[in-house]
């Protein structure tokens, strides 16, 4: 999938391309773990209205972040949510039960990161209840924030 416009998440829902614009986001890095949060809103004002993503407490082997670093994590919440350890979340007017997030650092700025977020989860809303994978991609400039300011 090609890179999308800055601060826009492109989602293919029920076979249609939809764009979601960044409303709020950021990252927190403590030298050992990174947490990233992205909150978007549908430009077409159709349901689902929001698309929120977070990768939380992802372990980093080095004390510094570097361009080209990539973090991939798959999470399944079938047995509940684990808020203490590494986890990934996706919300689209409902909490997604399972999601795979891949985040790649494209650029490092003095007060922000530019990242590419790729997400994969089962799509919903098909008449025959047929489940298909729903690819999503976005590029975002995210400011450094305290962890308490992130949607995690």
């Amino acid at each position: 999938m090609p890179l999308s416009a800055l601060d826009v998440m492109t989602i293919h829902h029920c076979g249609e391309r939809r764009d979601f614009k960044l409303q709020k986001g950021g990252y927190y890095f403590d030298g050992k773990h990174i947490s990233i949060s992205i909150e978007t809103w549908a430009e077409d004002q159709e349901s689902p209205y929001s698309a929120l993503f977070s990768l939380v407490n992802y372990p980093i082997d080095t004390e510094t972040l570097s361009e080209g670093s990539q973090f991939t994590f798959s999470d399944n919440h079938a047995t509940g949510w684990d808020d203490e350890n590494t986890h990934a979340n996706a919300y689209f007017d409902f909490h997604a039960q399972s999601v795979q997030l891949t985040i790649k650092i494209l650029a490092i700025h003095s007060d922000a990161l530019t990242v590419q977020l790729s997400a994969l989860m089962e799509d919903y809303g098909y008449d025959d209840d047929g489940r298909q994978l729903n690819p999503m991609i976005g590029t975002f400039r995210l400011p450094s924030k305290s962890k308490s300011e992130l949607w995690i």
Side-chain angles (χ1 to χ4, degrees), residues 14 20 44 50 60 63 88 98 113 119 126 137 141:
C14 291
F20 289 71
D44 61 11
S50 60
I60 305 294
E63 292 183 12
S98 64
L113 296 177
Y126 291 90
I137 192 165
R141 184 175 171 130

Side-chain angles (χ1 to χ4, degrees), residues 24-27 35-39 53-55 142 150-152:
K24 189 164 64 166
Y27 79 96
S35 294
I36 296 172
S37 171
I38 295 170
E39 300 177 46
F53 303 90
S54 64
L55 178 64
L142 303 174
L150 302 178
W151 177 81
I152 54 175

Side-chain angles (χ1 to χ4, degrees), residues 37-41 50-54 89-93 117 151:
S37 171
I38 295 170
E39 300 177 46
T40 66
W41 191 259
S50 60
L52 285 66
F53 303 90
S54 64
N89 295 308
Y91 179 83
F92 308 87
D93 302 344
L117 168 66
W151 177 81

Side-chain angles (χ1 to χ4, degrees), residues 8-150:
V8 174
M9 175 65 99
T10 300
I11 297 176
H12 297 276
H13 172 59
C14 291
E16 293 185 25
R17 176 191 161 119
R18 299 186 58 213
D19 290 330
F20 289 71
K21 184 76 172 153
L22 181 68
Q23 299 299 304
K24 189 164 64 166
Y27 79 96
Y28 171 77
F29 180 61
D30 66 5
K32 295 180 182 178
H33 298 88
I34 191 167
S35 294
I36 296 172
S37 171
I38 295 170
E39 300 177 46
T40 66
W41 191 259
E43 289 188 342
D44 61 11
Q45 303 297 309
E46 299 289 330
S47 180
Y49 301 100
S50 60
L52 285 66
F53 303 90
S54 64
L55 178 64
V56 184
N57 297 330
Y58 189 89
I60 305 294
D61 293 336
T62 62
E63 292 183 12
T64 59
L65 299 173
S66 59
E67 289 181 12
S69 293
Q70 185 168 298
F71 322 116
T72 300
F73 191 75
S74 295
D75 211 344
N76 187 326
H77 302 289
T79 59
W81 271 258
D82 176 3
D83 290 335
E84 299 300 318
N85 297 307
T86 302
H87 59 282
N89 295 308
Y91 179 83
F92 308 87
D93 302 344
F94 64 91
H95 286 280
Q97 183 172 331
S98 64
V99 63
Q100 176 182 309
L101 298 180
T102 300
I103 297 172
K104 181 176 182 179
I105 297 176
L106 301 177
I108 298 174
H109 314 279
S110 61
D111 61 347
L113 296 177
T114 299
V115 301
Q116 177 184 13
L117 168 66
S118 300
L120 192 61
M121 61 172 275
E122 283 188 351
D123 204 351
Y124 71 95
Y126 291 90
D127 292 335
D128 62 359
D129 203 30
R131 300 292 177 163
Q132 299 181 17
L133 292 178
N134 183 358
M136 304 166 223
I137 192 165
T139 303
F140 303 94
R141 184 175 171 130
L142 303 174
S144 175
K145 294 187 172 188
S146 68
K147 195 171 182 181
S148 64
E149 293 178 273
L150 302 178

